[in-house]
Amino acid sequence: MGRYDLSLIGFGGVNRSLAELIAERGDELKAELGFGLRVVAITDLRAGSLVQADGIDLPALLATAPGELDFSRMAGGSTEPRNQQVIQDGPGDIVAEATFTNPADGEPALSHVRWALEAGKHVCTTNKGPVALQGPALKDLAARHGVSFEFEGSVMSGTPILRTAEHLLTGLRVTGVEGIMNGTSNYILGRLEAGAAFPDAVKEAQALGYAEADPTADVEGFDVQLKVMILAHQVLGANLRRQDVACEGISQLTPADMRDAASRGLRWKLVGQATRREDGSVDARVAPAALPADHPLAAISGTTNAVSFHTDLLGAVTVSGPGAGRTETAYALLSDIIAIHHRHGAAEAHRTPEESFRG
Ligand SMILES: NC(=O)c1ccc[n+]([C@@H]2O[C@H](COP(=O)([O-])OP(=O)(O)OC[C@H]3O[C@@H](n4cnc5c(N)ncnc54)[C@H](O)[C@@H]3O)[C@@H](O)[C@H]2O)c1
Ligand SMILES: N[C@@H](CCO)C(=O)O
């Protein structure tokens, strides 16, 4: 039975939840999946960097509250995050990138992903920036280096929307996708329906770990814009730029708008969509829409998200599930690691212990 050694880049809500998952359920997962998981390096802007090639004692580390972690006080630790050094020269086989999403240029996550792939390390990420802005180039880079670039958590957190599209819709012609793809804004809309003030609802979503570091991306639609770009590439083969996806958020909506819509049997939702036109080009946009009660997306509440695939043979196929949340998104990283194992594990199981799948 083999093992993967992980480097966690960014130790906020998501990667910390992955560490918790490994600490709490590592043995059970090993028995079920046929491989073990060990965290050998962690970097974070606030905590610094920590490299322990024999495996970090996760229960001991996790006993310290997130805001109080200081890796410089530990063996193998330093004050600086040292991302490049840890990614390129550190002992990890798989790099789990979960720093903040930067919709403008994807950095610094884009560099983190490139460094890892160029160093022949598999990457799993929940970071939408690199996937939306440079996904095809990063997939090519991964292929050239014989490693995987996995990003299930970049759309709908742990709900397997991308793998559903990749594996379960084969043989169908997908003509478009539309969905509610941001947990924070959907949560806020629900709170506005309940009469809450907009700033209070944003604060709640932040405290619950759903919102981006800068929640502007959630409420102004940029987060959904990136997700539409990712889905449009995955299911329609379109390489869209941000400026190709018209974008309007929910920041102008008020509790009065919610009441007015409800009186007409409607619910406001932030909808992202990409549709293939007759000429083969793709129309993509993000905008609030007042949906009638019988619309498949109208009943999607809270941080639940849903995406409908429009297909030729089945009509609309809708998948719903969690769209945000630390633990839910950590599961996406685990599902990526399992995908990496399925693609590479059998071959790598025969390598020496120094190589990427450790026997
Ligand atoms: N939380 C969710 O529900 C969710 C769901 C899907 C995707 N995501 C994405 O996953 C990523 C992580 O989300 P999160 O909720 O953990 O965010 P977070 O803000 O809790 O954590 C991000 C961490 O990255 C660290 N960081 C920032 N810049 C860094 C750098 N240059 N080097 C090292 N560390 C750095 C920060 O200190 C912070 O601890 C984001 O890209 C987010 O968009 C989050
Ligand atoms: N902030 C994002 C996280 C998931 O990408 C959301 O609320 O949907």
Side-chain angles (χ1 to χ4, degrees):
M1 188 173 289
R3 184 188 73 234
Y4 293 99
D5 284 351
L6 310 182
S7 297
L8 311 185
I9 308 302
F11 200 58
V14 172
N15 260 345
R16 192 178 164 103
S17 291
L18 179 64
E20 285 167 358
L21 194 58
I22 294 168
E24 287 162 18
R25 295 182 47 186
D27 291 342
E28 191 183 323
L29 288 170
K30 189 172 178 178
E32 185 187 340
L33 302 173
F35 60 85
L37 290 171
R38 200 166 72 160
V39 176
V40 292
I42 304 175
T43 71
D44 190 86
L45 204 55
R46 285 171 291 198
S49 73
L50 181 63
V51 179
Q52 293 180 358
D54 291 335
I56 293 167
D57 179 351
L58 292 177
L61 185 93
L62 293 166
T64 304
E68 288 164 23
L69 271 178
D70 177 358
F71 294 152
S72 70
R73 294 198 213 134
M74 303 175 193
S78 74
T79 311
E80 298 298 316
R82 297 189 183 167
N83 293 316
Q84 187 164 5
Q85 190 185 334
V86 168
I87 291 169
Q88 291 177 329
D89 306 326
D93 313 312
I94 299 177
V95 170
E97 214 292 343
T99 64
F100 70 98
T101 288
N102 176 349
D105 63 7
E107 293 292 2
L110 181 54
S111 294
H112 299 161
V113 174
R114 281 203 185 112
W115 291 333
L117 298 175
E118 283 164 359
K121 310 214 170 176
H122 305 293
V123 172
C124 52
T125 187
T126 56
N127 196 314
K128 292 142 272 185
V131 187
L133 303 175
Q134 290 293 329
L138 294 171
K139 280 192 208 170
D140 285 351
L141 186 61
R144 286 205 299 281
H145 289 270
V147 290
S148 281
F149 175 50
E150 300 291 334
F151 43 83
E152 182 61 67
S154 62
V155 182
M156 276 180 74
S157 72
T159 306
I161 193 75
L162 298 180
R163 290 202 180 91
T164 297
E166 187 182 354
H167 299 297
L168 301 183
L169 299 180
T170 47
L172 295 167
R173 281 193 200 131
V174 181
T175 54
V177 285
E178 73 174 327
I180 294 171
M181 306 180 201
N182 182 272
T184 300
S185 57
N186 208 45
Y187 175 87
I188 291 170
L189 290 173
R191 297 293 296 129
L192 294 184
E193 285 175 336
F198 201 101
D200 294 340
V202 173
K203 278 188 200 136
E204 288 170 26
Q206 284 177 304
L208 291 165
Y210 308 140
E212 296 301 304
D214 176 359
T216 311
D218 296 298
V219 300
E220 299 300 352
F222 309 138
D223 180 77
V224 180
Q225 192 180 40
L226 297 179
K227 290 166 176 167
V228 166
M229 291 163 71
I230 295 168
L231 274 174
H233 181 256
Q234 293 296 112
V235 301
L236 301 174
N239 285 329
L240 301 177
R241 301 160 302 167
R242 274 187 81 197
Q243 58 266 39
D244 297 324
V245 186
C247 185
E248 184 188 339
I250 60 162
S251 59
Q252 302 305 316
L253 293 173
T254 63
D257 293 320
M258 303 294 134
R259 285 194 297 276
D260 177 58
S263 70
R264 294 180 289 130
L266 305 173
R267 284 189 93 188
W268 280 102
K269 294 290 167 192
L270 182 61
V271 178
Q273 57 188 18
T275 310
R276 191 175 298 292
R277 299 188 188 97
E278 287 284 307
D279 66 2
S281 63
V282 169
D283 173 69
R285 57 192 64 247
V286 179
L291 302 178
D294 61 354
H295 190 285
L297 300 178
I300 302 297
S301 295
T303 53
T304 300
N305 282 186
V307 166
S308 297
F309 298 97
H310 296 284
T311 74
D312 58 344
L313 302 181
L314 294 178
V317 176
T318 303
V319 177
S320 73
R326 301 170 179 125
T327 310
E328 294 84 345
T329 311
Y331 171 71
L333 292 174
L334 177 62
S335 77
D336 285 345
I337 294 166
I338 295 168
I340 290 168
H341 177 71
H342 285 161
R343 195 163 302 161
H344 300 269
E348 296 187 3
H350 299 292
R351 293 186 182 179
T352 65
E354 283 67 47
E355 294 185 82
S356 56
F357 183 66
R358 292 161 201 267

